[in-house]
């Protein structure tokens, strides 16, 4: 059974950095789109970044581009999200998700097949 598990969240001061990890078990990221989303109570789930199958391409939402960096370790079946220059607005639950590409594209919406439980990130001011 496919399972995605996030880790690496925590409390960090404004301006700090974190690296989140999404690890798959019973499932291979090799041919999948793997994305990171952020969930804040009362708001819609926000797409942040996606890595295309095989790490061929990484796309980041413009709101986090230049501060957040998605990457993949194919051999370890892990996807990372490096987050720099964090601000309190970045606080939330960070969730990874995976799916086959929709045609030649990876979704920027919550149209994903597998989801993790999330890891909490709190940025203090």
């Amino acid at each position: 059974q496919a399972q995605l598990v996030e880790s690496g969240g925590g409390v960090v001061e404004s301006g700090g950095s974190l690296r989140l990890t999404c690890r798959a078990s019973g499932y291979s990221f090799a041919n999948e789109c793997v994305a990171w989303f952020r969930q804040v109570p009362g708001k819609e789930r926000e797409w942040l970044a996606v890595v295309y199958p095989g790490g061929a391409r990484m796309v980041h939402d413009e709101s986090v581009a230049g501060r957040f960096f998605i990457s993949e370790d194919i051999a370890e079946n892990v996807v990372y999200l490096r987050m720099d220059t964090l601000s309190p607005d970045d606080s939330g639950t960070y969730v990874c998700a995976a799916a086959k590409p929709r045609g030649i594209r990876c979704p920027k919406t919550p149209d994903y097949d597998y989801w993790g439980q999330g890891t909490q990130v709190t940025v203090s001011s």
Side-chain angles (χ1 to χ4, degrees):
Q1 182 175 353
Q3 187 175 16
L4 305 183
V5 179
E6 302 93 338
S7 62
V11 179
V12 62
E13 292 185 351
S14 183
S17 298
L18 283 173
R19 188 181 76 163
L20 307 182
T21 300
C22 175
R23 188 173 300 276
S25 61
Y27 184 72
S28 172
F29 283 157
N31 298 308
E32 308 293 301
C33 307
V34 184
W36 283 96
F37 290 79
R38 178 169 60 211
Q39 183 74 59
V40 176
K43 293 186 177 182
E44 291 187 0
R45 187 167 286 182
E46 179 184 13
W47 174 84
L48 301 173
V50 66
V51 57
Y52 275 58
R57 182 183 177 203
M58 283 73 78
V59 182
H60 302 79
D61 185 78
E62 61 181 14
S63 65
V64 301
R67 295 192 303 121
F68 290 14
F69 305 92
I70 192 170
S71 63
E72 183 175 24
D73 186 329
I74 297 172
E76 294 295 323
N77 212 28
V78 170
V79 170
Y80 301 103
L81 184 68
R82 168 77 181 188
M83 306 186 296
D84 295 328
T85 320
L86 287 162
S87 74
D89 288 343
D90 294 317
S91 297
T93 301
Y94 284 70
V95 185
C96 67
K100 288 282 192 296
R102 303 326 190 204
I104 61 172
R105 301 288 186 185
C106 289
K108 295 181 181 180
T109 65
D111 182 22
Y112 281 77
D113 302 318
Y114 300 101
W115 293 85
Q117 293 297 311
T119 184
Q120 181 67 36
V121 171
T122 302
V123 184
S124 62
S125 56

